[in-house]
Amino acid sequence: AQSVSQHNHHVILSEAASLELGCNYSYGGTVNLFWYVQYPGQHLQLLLKYFSGDPLVKGIKGFEAEFIKSKFSFNLRKPSVQWSDTAEYFCAVNARYGGSQGNLIFGKGTKLSVKP
Amino acid sequence: EAQVTQNPRYLITVTGKKLTVTCSQNMNHEYMSWYRQDPGLGLRQIYYSMNVEVTDKGDVPEGYKVSRKEKRNFPLILESPSPNQTSLYFCASSSTQRGSYEQYFGPGTRLTVT
């Protein structure tokens, strides 16, 4: 069965620090990869996604993620975080079978707290 | 506006009193899913549906039922709620066609069972 691991449960950074959140998945075939963000009291919003092509994906609000197929990883990065980035971040993966997709599996999430 | 709606947004109920949380999407998506979110456990999938009349269990289906009679609606039914079903519930939908894999989430339903 597919699974998604997010290595950090809670990350605390100061403003302007660089961020990298780890995400690894277990599935040997073709996958779609996502990072979602959940701001306090809100629902999940898509931050960025990877389906194919350039493994370095740029999302909203200055976030980017790199797909490294050999490592089954899709780590999220931001060079300089802001207080407004305080949120919970979820990595998600689903398998692709031809033109259709399988079920979306989420990691347990990483809480990011940014100190002003 | 493309969206997933859930009702109610907040619900406090008592043990054993049947309830239904509705979910509706206006994007003609084939795939719909229910998750529950609990602190430290992330999002866990309850049930999902790949299309009308096609539903399947997720990771934590016990105590829940779903139905998918129409493409746009995917209600979550708790026949006899218990306090361990107190949680934040999200409905989501997506297309299953090539190039359209992003899931759209509803605003959430916060359920408290006393």
Side-chain angles (χ1 to χ4, degrees), chain A residues 36 38 43 46 99 101 103, chain B residues 31 37 45 48 94-95 103 106:
Chain A
Y36 283 86
Q38 187 180 30
H43 63 97
L46 184 69
Q101 62 171 345
N103 218 11
Chain B
Y31 178 94
Q37 184 178 19
Q45 189 178 51
Y48 65 97
S94 74
S95 171
Q103 280 209 8

Side-chain angles (χ1 to χ4, degrees), chain B residues 82-101:
Chain B
S82 62
N84 65 13
Q85 292 177 299
T86 291
S87 187
L88 179 58
Y89 292 86
F90 289 102
C91 178
S93 74
S94 74
S95 171
T96 58
Q97 302 310 306
R98 189 186 297 274
S100 303
Y101 306 115

Side-chain angles (χ1 to χ4, degrees), chain B residues 21-103:
Chain B
V21 184
T22 64
C23 173
S24 183
Q25 49 94 6
N26 62 1
M27 295 168 278
N28 201 36
H29 285 164
E30 298 83 7
Y31 178 94
M32 296 186 76
S33 181
W34 276 103
Y35 299 89
R36 60 177 287 174
Q37 184 178 19
D38 302 289
L41 298 176
L43 278 93
R44 294 180 293 168
Q45 189 178 51
I46 303 170
Y47 270 94
Y48 65 97
S49 169
M50 298 299 285
N51 215 324
V52 176
E53 301 290 2
V54 180
T55 63
D56 210 343
K57 295 177 181 177
D59 297 320
V60 288
E62 295 77 21
Y64 304 95
K65 279 176 57 177
V66 292
S67 69
R68 186 93 182 272
K69 294 184 170 39
E70 308 163 280
K71 201 171 188 180
R72 63 181 295 128
N73 296 323
F74 190 45
L76 179 70
I77 302 155
L78 284 72
E79 295 267 2
S80 182
S82 62
N84 65 13
Q85 292 177 299
T86 291
S87 187
L88 179 58
Y89 292 86
F90 289 102
C91 178
S93 74
S94 74
S95 171
T96 58
Q97 302 310 306
R98 189 186 297 274
S100 303
Y101 306 115
E102 173 186 343
Q103 280 209 8

